[in-house]
Amino acid sequence: MRWLQAISSRQTLLRANRRSPRARRWELSEAELERMAAARSRPLDARTALMLLARSPRLATDVAHVLGGALRSVIFDNNPLISILDAERGRSAVPDAATGVGWYDEQPFLDVLAPHLRSELIALELGCGGGRISRRVAPMVGELVCTDVLASMVAEASENLAAYANVTVAQTDGFALHEFQERSFDLVFAQGVLGYLDPNPLLGMLDEVARVLRPDGVCVFNFSTIDHPQDMRWQLETVREQARRRRFSGATDRAYTRAQLSAMYEAVGLHVLPAAELAVAGAGRVVIAGRRPAGGA
Ligand SMILES: C[S@@+](CC[C@H](N)C(=O)[O-])C[C@H]1O[C@@H](n2cnc3c(N)ncnc32)[C@H](O)[C@@H]1O
């Protein structure tokens, strides 16, 4: 584990193949997907929240962090409890569903990532969630380190990825990548994660990505961009609805422009590669890849 710097007592590091696997399904029928969506769309009252917590006590760590303010400026600034309880709400309808099943198609992001995958690479994933993208990437790289800010997601990903001997799952603090040494990864990627960060936390995270990438290493992230016509429509409709409810959600992509994101990459020394567009519903269509220059500072 050349990439590992230090693991504090608060952080979790799990070798995925040491955990006993608990079967979670990635394929659901239409009826099951509809049941999950219906469960997630119901208003979350205090009684339901307590029942979900009782069913899944491992969420308590994340809830405690949120209530203590630890995650507030990272992602879940306005609706922390709903975000954390969401996977369990879905599972109340389909008990063995993996977190992320039924989200929009993962293939378009993987198609853009694929040319950057090689069997000798050491890759780092940010915001792995339940391991939806990770399970597809793991067979195509030498080593994969999956990270997430939530303890509950780290626990679930390590169960879901138990079959892959080359996968390690670690919890990060969401602000930085202190655990990892400078220049230790060939590839850093994230699907549906960095767009949730406000500009300064995002710039800080990109700076960390540039630090942990090896010279010539590449990062691949997707974003909702306000200058993409479909993303712009989605963003505006979402924000209008939230403004009407007087409650903006931390779990909604921030409205970045492509030029703003490119400037952030360049500021931390990542050279922007040509952007790709995904054919997906919702947000997060634009994929921006960056390369740490070979021999660069
Ligand atoms: C929408 S989910 C995407 C999960 C996965 N990438 C996928 O596509 O299935 C976003 C995930 O990113 C995590 N996350 C959000 N901000 C993060 C941060 N700053 N650092 C690490 N993980 C973060 C959340 O906990 C959540 O699991």
Side-chain angles (χ1 to χ4, degrees), residues 109-165:
F109 181 80
L110 288 165
D111 288 344
V112 173
L113 191 63
H116 301 289
L117 303 177
R118 289 194 309 281
S119 60
E120 72 276 14
L121 298 189
I122 303 183
L124 173 69
E125 180 178 8
L126 310 180
C128 63
R132 188 174 74 115
I133 305 293
S134 343
R135 80 194 202 287
R136 305 280 308 278
V137 171
M140 300 167 80
V141 294
E143 210 178 314
L144 174 60
V145 181
C146 302
T147 61
D148 202 283
V149 72
L150 295 181
S152 51
M153 286 299 107
V154 167
E156 175 164 349
S158 11
E159 288 170 3
N160 292 344
L161 300 168
Y164 302 99

Side-chain angles (χ1 to χ4, degrees), residues 67-110:
L67 294 180
L71 295 176
R72 205 152 286 167
S73 64
V74 192
I75 33 171
F76 302 119
D77 46 354
N78 285 306
N79 61 351
L81 295 177
I82 291 177
S83 300
I84 285 172
L85 293 172
D86 214 39
E88 292 310 311
R89 300 177 87 198
R91 275 206 276 274
S92 63
V94 184
D96 57 351
T99 297
V101 68
W103 290 356
Y104 68 70
D105 190 4
E106 64 206 34
Q107 194 57 48
F109 181 80
L110 288 165

Side-chain angles (χ1 to χ4, degrees), residues 1-21:
M1 293 194 206
R2 281 160 291 162
W3 40 266
L4 185 64
Q5 187 137 289
I7 292 289
S8 77
S9 55
R10 198 181 74 71
Q11 286 160 333
T12 314
L13 173 74
L14 299 167
R15 196 32 111 170
N17 60 339
R18 282 203 203 123
R19 303 269 308 192
S20 56

Side-chain angles (χ1 to χ4, degrees), residues 232-265:
M232 184 261 280
R233 271 196 296 279
W234 177 90
Q235 190 90 31
L236 197 54
E237 279 164 22
T238 307
V239 165
R240 274 185 188 144
E241 169 62 14
Q242 293 180 4
R244 196 182 58 74
R245 285 190 277 128
R246 299 186 185 177
R247 192 177 179 85
F248 288 105
S249 164
T252 299
D253 296 70
R254 306 303 188 263
Y256 290 112
T257 63
R258 209 181 280 204
Q260 198 181 358
L261 292 165
S262 297
M264 287 186 184
Y265 278 51

